[in-house]
Amino acid sequence: MKIQDDMPRLGFGTYGRQGEDGISAMLAALQAGYRHLDTAQTYDTEGEVGTALRRSGLARGDIFLTTKISTDNYGEGCLIPSLRRSLETLQVDQVNLTLLHWPSPHGKQALETYLVQLLEAQDLGLTRYIGVSNFTIALLEEAEAIAGPGRIVNNQIELNPLMQNKKLSDYCGRKGIQVTCYQPIAQGRLAGQPVLEEIAQRHAASVEQVALAFELAKGYAAIPTSSRAERIRSNFAAREIALTAEDIERIEAIDRNERAIDPSWGPDWD
Ligand SMILES: NC(=O)c1ccc[n+]([C@@H]2O[C@H](COP(=O)([O-])OP(=O)(O)OC[C@H]3O[C@@H](n4cnc5c(N)ncnc54)[C@H](OP(=O)(O)O)[C@@H]3O)[C@@H](O)[C@H]2O)c1
């Protein structure tokens, strides 16, 4: 099956959702209808995700789980044991999607060293799909040269109406690589943006819902998070908003290409 037909496109981000409060937020998300949870080795929420899944009573097959390999685990012989530890913490036999969280900082590890281990993890059945995060076009091309076409099926990148990452998302679209938007509601910074406010008012929606509806209409997946049940539910209800072609065009025009996550050790962005 293609990831596009398998991964629920509105997922729940779990960065910051630690401890009992985090588990409650995840349970609220599952109750609201989210069936896709996004975690990472560095978030320290894999345990909470496992607990929430168990407490929810939902069947494993009903949930799409994504985790990401920390760049600390890219060394020869390290990636697969780290993914096995993640599976144990998550209390599952397989995750649906495993991503390389970032390109190796300062190119410390060669891409081939860690990508080959990810391919092997997939061959071992530890993960159904594999992908990357924060990869540029040049890095995606390098990855394809190593892995062969069609193996890397997802790129998780910063994307919201103020940071539309157009060059990279267009490239992913042409290559059939599913884009997942992180910071899809710009961490609450969308309030007051006049075009979004006007569209939101017309649809009796919030600007966050309009942002998520825009990302879904563009064919992307999005993984907003919140600590509050009411926002968790209202973000999920963005699926019901049908933007017009004109709304989408107007939102496309407000792109500021304003990147929030830009570590000094990150790649040279497109
Ligand atoms: N791959 C990567 O490198 C990477 C990087 C960053 C994030 N991520 C993933 O993407 C997920 C989402 O990104 P993010 O957490 O940085 O940003 P986000 O989802 O865009 O924003 C979350 C923030 O917005 C607030 N918020 C949520 N719903 C709201 C609403 N309806 N109205 C107003 N404010 C609202 C939340 O505060 P309250 O809790 O107070 O509601 C929270 O502070 C993360 O959880 C993580 O899974 C991945």
Side-chain angles (χ1 to χ4, degrees):
M1 198 190 290
K2 274 169 58 185
I3 193 169
Q4 284 84 351
D5 302 323
D6 199 8
M7 178 170 78
R9 283 201 291 121
L10 193 53
F12 185 67
T14 69
Y15 179 77
R17 304 281 79 83
Q18 286 166 308
E20 273 305 318
D21 287 351
I23 295 168
S24 299
M26 291 176 207
L27 285 170
L30 294 171
Q31 201 157 27
Y34 293 81
R35 289 294 178 268
H36 167 186
L37 299 178
D38 179 86
T39 182
Q41 292 176 338
T42 55
Y43 297 172
D44 220 359
T45 56
E46 289 177 327
E48 282 82 346
V49 169
T51 304
L53 250 184
R54 196 163 31 78
R55 283 194 202 160
S56 73
L58 287 162
R60 170 68 188 92
D62 291 339
I63 305 289
F64 190 100
L65 279 184
T66 301
T67 196
K68 312 183 198 80
I69 305 287
S70 160
T71 58
D72 288 344
N73 293 322
Y74 285 177
E76 199 89 57
C78 297
L79 189 148
I80 289 176
S82 83
L83 182 54
R84 287 195 196 280
R85 285 194 297 278
S86 290
L87 296 182
E88 211 170 295
T89 311
L90 287 159
Q91 306 172 53
V92 297
D93 300 326
Q94 184 191 54
V95 280
N96 300 74
L97 173 63
T98 303
L99 305 177
L100 298 170
H101 204 151
W102 280 87
S104 179
H106 306 297
K108 189 174 154 214
Q109 300 284 347
L111 176 57
E112 184 154 12
T113 305
Y114 51 101
L115 181 53
V116 162
Q117 296 179 74
L118 185 65
L119 293 165
E120 193 186 334
Q122 186 181 34
D123 293 339
L124 289 168
L126 305 180
T127 180
R128 172 122 201 209
Y129 303 103
I130 57 171
V132 294
S133 177
N134 300 299
F135 267 44
T136 58
I137 294 173
L139 285 162
L140 287 169
E141 285 178 341
E142 198 183 330
E144 184 180 321
I146 295 165
R151 286 293 289 270
I152 302 296
V153 296
N154 186 253
N155 191 14
Q156 187 177 121
I157 56 176
E158 184 177 337
L159 200 156
N160 60 61
L162 304 180
M163 170 60 207
Q164 296 186 24
N165 231 323
K166 280 183 181 157
K167 217 171 144 188
L168 178 57
S169 51
D170 286 352
Y171 174 86
C172 290
R174 287 197 301 277
K175 283 289 190 179
I177 297 171
Q178 173 74 53
V179 165
T180 299
C181 311
Y182 74 66
Q183 292 220 346
I185 51 172
Q187 293 207 309
R189 294 187 306 273
L190 301 174
Q193 205 297 326
V195 170
L196 294 177
E197 293 282 3
E198 190 277 315
I199 295 172
Q201 201 175 11
R202 200 156 24 79
H203 289 272
S206 67
V207 287
E208 288 76 20
Q209 287 176 321
V210 169
L212 294 167
F214 168 74
E215 291 149 18
L216 297 177
K218 295 285 289 179
Y220 310 141
I223 46 168
T225 192
S226 173
S227 54
R228 309 184 202 187
E230 190 162 321
R231 286 177 170 179
I232 291 170
R233 283 193 291 272
S234 79
N235 291 344
F236 193 68
R239 290 154 83 240
E240 289 150 30
I241 296 166
L243 298 176
T244 64
E246 195 198 336
D247 292 336
I248 292 169
E249 254 174 55
R250 291 180 66 207
I251 298 171
E252 281 173 341
I254 64 168
D255 184 18
R256 297 184 200 150
N257 215 29
E258 211 172 75
R259 188 177 295 278
I261 299 202
D262 192 12
S264 60
W265 46 265
D268 295 331
W269 304 109
D270 293 298

